[in-house]
Amino acid sequence: MTEKHSILRSVGAYLPARILTNDELAKTVDTSDEWIVQRTGIRQRHIAAEGENTSDLAAAAGRKAMENAGVGIEDIDLIIVATTTPDMTFPATAAVVQQKLGMHHGAAFDIQAVCSGFVYAVATADSFLKNGLARRVLVIGAEATSRILDWTDRTTCVLFGDGAGAAVMELGKDAGPGEARGVLASSLRSDGHFWNKLYTDGGPSSTQSVGHVRMEGKEVFKHAVGMITDVVHNVFEATGYGVDDLDWFVPHQANKRIIDGAGVKLGIPPEKVVITVDRHANTSAASVPLALYTAVADGRIKRGDLVMIEAMGGGFTWGASLIRW
Ligand code: UT7
């Protein structure tokens, strides 16, 4: 008997036109290209234009994913947007995206898991599809993090960028036993005891404002590799696959040193790791789908490949999914 898994039928992405280099940043804050590259691997980031909101980035990435899947908005019955930088406190950015894509039917909601948002959204869409609550889901990770940065704080403002990535997910029939395609397993975690290591110093119910990103970078760094490797191991255990079976490791792109550390601990050779942090910086919930899009578009990720996605961020939240492409 063949089983049904949720496949990622296509991916799409959108990056704002404006590129901000490290050298440009060094003119306004006490930093240098050398420090940023050495400590993070970041060389540049994209910044949303004035008036360009998270919903605009999300809708653009969503349109591209639908185009690549050969489906129209009438074929989608659920939109999930993972974001930490919604257009407004409410309604959900997903509702605004629904309007921008011209969709009157179905449902739309946001997921807030900061940098882990896309992994949480993929696991949520997988669950909705398997339970028959949706037929085809547009899953989007989109951020305009530049809007909540304190541009005088060099410990945070050099790290983030704006962008969006998306995937069309639907149930796909496996080719046969042992030939499963789609999301094979996911592992989601959080531990709210760490909320004050990475947060905004404002919000609707506390300060009636948005606030700015605050982070104890060293504390986040200290926990990141262990948390990432834990969920990756969980997913391997659940599926019976191991690191040698993996074709591509598509990690959250926060810091090249964290990615390298996780790769070494897991025993994944660097040539199997997709890196975009140099060009995109940390785009939070958009980073994993942007990296997926990059590796699919340049021909690295191909149908049938075994792909591990993972992320870790504010909350703390962390998670991983193993996907047969
Ligand atoms: O998506 C998940 C969210 N975030 C993360 O994963 C980020 C996790 N953390 C990190 O990536 C790293 O901790 C950072 C990149 C944020 C910082 O790297 P670090 O190696 O932990 O540096 P540090 O915080 O220990 O700072 C070292 C020095 C300090 O100076 P002193 O005290 O040694 O004199 C900082 O003041 O570097 C200084 N510094 C900078 N210098 C130039 C901090 N930021 C900058 C900067 N430019 N932008």
Side-chain angles (χ1 to χ4, degrees):
M1 202 179 79
T2 58
E3 208 188 327
K4 282 189 168 185
H5 290 277
S6 312
I7 61 166
L8 275 71
R9 179 161 155 180
S10 69
V11 280
Y14 175 80
L15 287 161
R18 163 90 167 105
I19 291 174
L20 179 64
T21 64
N22 292 346
D23 282 334
E24 275 179 275
L25 257 176
K27 288 182 189 149
T28 58
V29 69
D30 182 18
T31 190
S32 65
D33 177 57
E34 192 192 0
W35 189 96
I36 302 171
V37 172
Q38 225 172 53
R39 301 288 177 131
T40 70
I42 297 165
R43 294 182 182 277
Q44 62 171 48
R45 70 286 293 138
H46 291 251
I47 303 290
E50 208 183 315
E52 195 175 36
N53 295 342
T54 296
S55 63
D56 296 310
L57 314 186
R63 272 190 208 103
K64 186 89 185 156
M66 288 192 293
E67 189 188 309
N68 289 342
V71 300
I73 194 64
E74 64 282 2
D75 302 310
I76 302 289
D77 58 359
L78 176 62
I79 298 174
I80 304 177
V81 175
T83 188
T84 304
T85 47
D87 289 15
M88 297 161 274
T89 301
F90 78 86
T93 299
V96 184
V97 171
Q98 189 182 25
Q99 179 243 332
K100 286 185 172 163
L101 295 179
M103 176 182 174
H104 290 278
H105 62 279
F109 61 85
D110 285 0
I111 279 186
Q112 164 55 296
V114 203
C115 297
S116 311
F118 187 77
V119 178
Y120 269 60
V122 164
T124 304
D126 179 31
S127 195
F128 270 62
L129 288 164
K130 282 184 176 151
N131 286 309
L133 282 166
R135 206 170 40 82
R136 191 172 291 115
V137 190
L138 185 58
V139 183
I140 306 173
E143 303 283 11
T145 309
S146 64
R147 301 277 157 69
I148 57 164
L149 292 174
D150 173 353
W151 287 97
T152 65
D153 174 12
R154 68 175 183 173
T155 68
T156 52
C157 77
V158 305
L159 302 174
F160 295 90
D162 301 337
V168 170
M169 289 182 62
E170 64 191 33
L171 286 183
K173 231 177 175 188
D174 295 340
E179 292 178 78
R181 207 184 144 220
V183 179
L184 306 181
S186 298
S187 175
L188 302 183
R189 287 293 326 276
S190 69
D191 187 344
H193 291 94
F194 293 105
W195 75 262
N196 59 353
K197 304 297 176 203
L198 176 51
Y199 64 103
T200 58
D201 58 3
S205 76
S206 54
T207 61
Q208 299 81 56
S209 66
V210 175
H212 292 113
V213 174
R214 303 293 172 210
M215 174 167 70
E216 287 181 38
K218 263 202 178 327
E219 280 296 305
V220 182
F221 200 107
K222 200 172 83 189
H223 290 94
V225 171
M227 288 175 165
I228 290 163
T229 49
D230 273 357
V231 281
V232 167
H233 282 309
N234 288 348
V235 169
F236 276 142
E237 259 165 49
T239 57
Y241 286 110
V243 79
D244 294 339
D245 302 307
L246 208 58
D247 293 296
W248 297 106
F249 183 53
V250 186
H252 171 48
Q253 310 281 324
N255 185 323
K256 176 81 163 46
R257 285 156 59 210
I258 296 176
I259 297 172
D260 290 346
V264 167
K265 197 165 174 199
L266 289 161
I268 301 171
E271 59 272 18
K272 289 188 174 181
V273 182
V274 177
I275 304 282
T276 52
V277 68
D278 53 335
R279 284 159 289 157
H280 302 165
N282 182 349
T283 56
S284 190
S287 100
V288 169
L290 274 168
L292 276 175
Y293 176 80
T294 302
V296 169
D298 67 21
R300 274 179 288 174
I301 297 180
K302 291 184 286 297
R303 173 104 181 233
D305 281 354
L306 200 58
V307 180
M308 179 74 76
I309 61 171
E310 60 82 353
M312 181 268 176
F316 291 152
T317 56
W318 63 108
S321 288
L322 188 65
I323 303 161
R324 175 73 71 189
W325 207 257

